[in-house]
Amino acid sequence: AKPPPPPPKPANLPPPTCHAYCPAPGQTKIEKKTGKIVSDLVDIDFEQTVMKYDSTGMFHWTPARPIEECIIDKKEASMTVLNGHVVVCLFANPDSPLIGLRNLVMPLRASNFHFHELKHVVIVGEVEYIRREWKTLQNLPKISILAGCPKNREDLRAVNVNLCDMCIILSAKVPSTVDDSALADKEAILATLNIKAMTFDDTFITLPKDTQLGDGKSPLGAPIVLQRKGTCFGASMPMITELVNDSNVQFIDPDDDDDDPDTELYLTQPFACGTVFAVSVLDSLMSTTYFNPNALTLIRSLITGGATHELEQILAEGAGLRGGYSTPKTLNNRDRCRIGQVPIFDGPMAKFGEGGTYGDLFVAALRNFGVLCIGLYRFRDTSLSMNASAKRYVITNPPGSFKLVPTDQVFVIMQFGRKKDWPHGKEIPDYRDEKEL
């Protein structure tokens, strides 16, 4: 009798995770216990090693995948139960000039965020246009594409726009020279007003995290856990619209905007509330950097999530993000400051919300938590009236005597490797994607 054939090898199994201190071939080996360098050379099996970051360690990275793997239809989007994500509403023709979507997504994939903190990005727009930009996006994780129109309410409901953490409205279309300059932003403005006019069913219940729905996975592989109720009205959704013409800011919120039409952009309510971004702001940033070179470090942290000379050279040469193996040097690049927005209504800093000053909060946060406060995010109406507006506006670097209110939120620059999670003072657990040993 013939011996039984060997059992078939399972297919599509992911390779084992790479040790955080795996060196590349030809590098010296680092002992696990002592951390000392051993003189013998190491031979690595590349197929058994997983790369999670780019070659500089500055951004999360994933192997290149075809755009077809990231395209979802309305049914898949509805079944995914998207929540806490970022929706990008993109107006573009197949032949529109490229606007560089990578520059929008890359800061959201900075390695000083833990992998579980990365927000899923869903792009709603013309697939053929996104296909032209896909080469710069194919190595960035957690991206989905819905072929549709940002003005179509069915498409917006399919991606749960009312449950997103931010809705970004962009346009890559070139305005006609014949049209009035005020019409350059017509589609972005109409999409903004359309979303604000939408209403949503507020029966989105929260399920316990151990609740199982089928296999517990969505079509995108994310666990189905409903975390919060949706916004009832689109007018209270977090949203930001890009404008080409500054004067068009007057059309963004016509029902709740008392600004004079001739008011400068930086003095208007939509700009102060962070719901509008104009191209002219880049001119201001460039001018600031020219006269104050030190401002570039802060601007880089705010906008790009950080950069190194090696990364800038790679991107300047058009090579794109390349995967790299985790070494002590690249892992150290994760240890850089990050921008956060935290409330003060509870936790150890709650006492400052009851008549405290910004100066007291600044000193206490820096001394006790190593957190640098850079501004406040305050409700426009601080009254307890039922008709009070839910809009907030930004107060950058207020004076030390500035009085705080309990509902204020604080913009902070925090350390990546901090031991406490401010403001609640809870210990931060060891996450699987950051373990080094």
Side-chain angles (χ1 to χ4, degrees):
K2 294 183 179 179
K9 294 182 179 181
N12 300 325
L13 284 181
T17 56
C18 174
H19 191 277
Y21 286 94
C22 282
Q27 288 184 337
T28 52
K29 182 179 180 181
I30 301 176
E31 284 185 341
K32 181 176 181 181
K33 294 182 179 180
T34 64
K36 295 181 179 179
I37 296 178
V38 184
S39 58
D40 60 315
L41 298 180
V42 180
D43 186 17
I44 298 288
D45 183 359
F46 282 82
E47 293 184 357
Q48 298 300 317
T49 310
V50 173
M51 294 183 289
K52 298 179 294 185
Y53 308 105
D54 72 304
S55 56
T56 64
M58 298 295 290
F59 294 94
H60 288 272
W61 182 90
T62 188
R65 60 218 189 275
I67 189 173
E68 285 74 19
E69 291 185 8
C70 297
I71 296 177
I72 58 175
D73 56 26
K74 296 175 186 177
K75 183 178 180 181
E76 287 178 315
S78 301
M79 293 175 60
T80 303
V81 196
L82 292 164
N83 183 49
H85 53 304
V86 175
V87 176
V88 179
C89 298
L90 178 62
F91 289 96
N93 296 321
D95 57 348
S96 296
L98 303 182
I99 59 174
L101 289 175
R102 179 179 66 183
N103 298 326
L104 171 66
V105 180
M106 270 185 63
L108 303 176
R109 298 295 175 260
S111 62
N112 57 354
F113 290 102
H114 301 291
F115 187 80
H116 76 280
E117 294 177 313
L118 302 182
K119 298 185 182 300
H120 202 106
V121 175
V122 182
I123 305 174
V124 181
E126 174 61 52
V127 172
E128 293 307 315
Y129 172 83
I130 302 173
R131 191 185 299 275
R132 293 168 54 207
E133 292 224 23
W134 186 246
K135 183 179 179 181
T136 62
L137 299 172
Q138 60 185 359
N139 294 115
L140 298 173
K142 295 189 178 183
I143 297 179
S144 298
I145 301 168
L146 176 69
C149 177
K151 290 187 292 186
N152 188 326
R153 292 191 174 187
E154 183 182 4
D155 295 340
L156 296 173
R157 293 185 189 277
V159 298
N160 287 351
V161 68
N162 59 313
L163 298 177
C164 71
D165 277 356
M166 181 59 66
C167 178
I168 305 171
I169 301 176
L170 306 172
S171 178
K173 294 185 177 181
V174 178
S176 173
T177 55
V178 180
D179 295 336
D180 183 3
S181 61
L183 298 178
D185 302 307
K186 60 181 179 181
E187 290 189 313
I189 293 174
L190 288 174
T192 302
L193 299 178
N194 178 46
I195 294 176
K196 288 184 176 183
M198 293 176 67
T199 57
F200 302 91
D201 183 10
D202 195 32
T203 57
F204 197 83
I205 60 173
T206 303
L207 300 179
K209 292 187 176 181
D210 57 351
T211 302
Q212 299 294 328
L213 295 177
D215 61 353
K217 297 288 184 180
S218 70
L220 297 182
I224 300 178
V225 179
L226 314 187
Q227 298 177 356
R228 61 183 172 88
K229 290 187 176 182
T231 305
C232 237
F233 301 98
S236 55
M237 272 180 44
M239 192 171 4
I240 183 167
T241 306
E242 183 193 37
L243 297 178
V244 175
N245 192 339
D246 292 5
S247 62
N248 287 335
V249 69
Q250 61 182 309
F251 304 115
I252 291 295
D253 202 359
D255 297 330
D256 191 23
D257 189 353
D258 301 328
D259 295 328
D260 187 272
D262 297 326
T263 305
E264 292 288 338
L265 173 69
Y266 68 94
L267 294 176
T268 61
Q269 179 177 295
F271 185 80
C273 294
T275 58
V276 162
F277 178 84
V279 178
S280 60
V281 175
L282 298 178
D283 300 333
S284 175
L285 291 178
M286 186 180 300
S287 175
T288 300
T289 304
Y290 178 80
F291 290 103
N292 184 6
N294 295 325
L296 182 61
T297 303
L298 177 60
I299 293 173
R300 177 181 290 170
S301 298
L302 290 171
I303 297 177
T304 68
T308 64
H309 176 71
E310 179 186 357
L311 177 63
E312 290 180 343
Q313 185 175 0
I314 291 173
L315 297 180
E317 294 176 355
L321 291 179
R322 298 177 297 190
Y325 297 95
S326 297
T327 65
K329 180 180 179 181
T330 58
L331 288 175
N332 284 338
N333 285 337
R334 295 191 67 196
D335 190 8
R336 61 189 191 274
C337 65
R338 50 190 281 188
I339 306 299
Q341 185 187 91
V342 292
I344 61 172
F345 66 85
D346 65 350
M349 296 299 171
K351 59 182 179 181
F352 297 107
E354 302 293 340
T357 64
Y358 180 78
D360 295 335
L361 173 68
F362 184 96
V363 173
L366 190 60
R367 178 179 298 165
N368 299 328
F369 298 96
V371 170
L372 181 65
C373 301
I374 58 176
L376 297 176
Y377 200 35
R378 172 167 291 188
F379 277 121
R380 193 190 68 179
D381 298 332
T382 56
S383 65
L384 300 178
S385 170
M386 293 294 294
N387 297 324
S389 172
K391 293 181 179 178
R392 292 179 181 265
Y393 63 97
V394 180
I395 307 174
T396 306
N397 192 26
S401 59
F402 191 83
K403 294 292 184 180
L404 303 175
V405 296
T407 55
D408 283 344
Q409 293 185 1
V410 190
F411 290 105
V412 298
I413 298 179
M414 59 180 66
Q415 302 174 29
F416 170 73
R418 63 199 190 285
K419 297 299 182 183
K420 297 280 187 178
D421 184 16
W422 185 71
H424 304 290
K426 297 178 181 177
E427 290 286 348
I428 295 181
D430 290 331
Y431 295 114
R432 188 181 308 171
D433 63 310
E434 73 167 356
K435 286 185 178 179
E436 298 181 355
L437 294 176

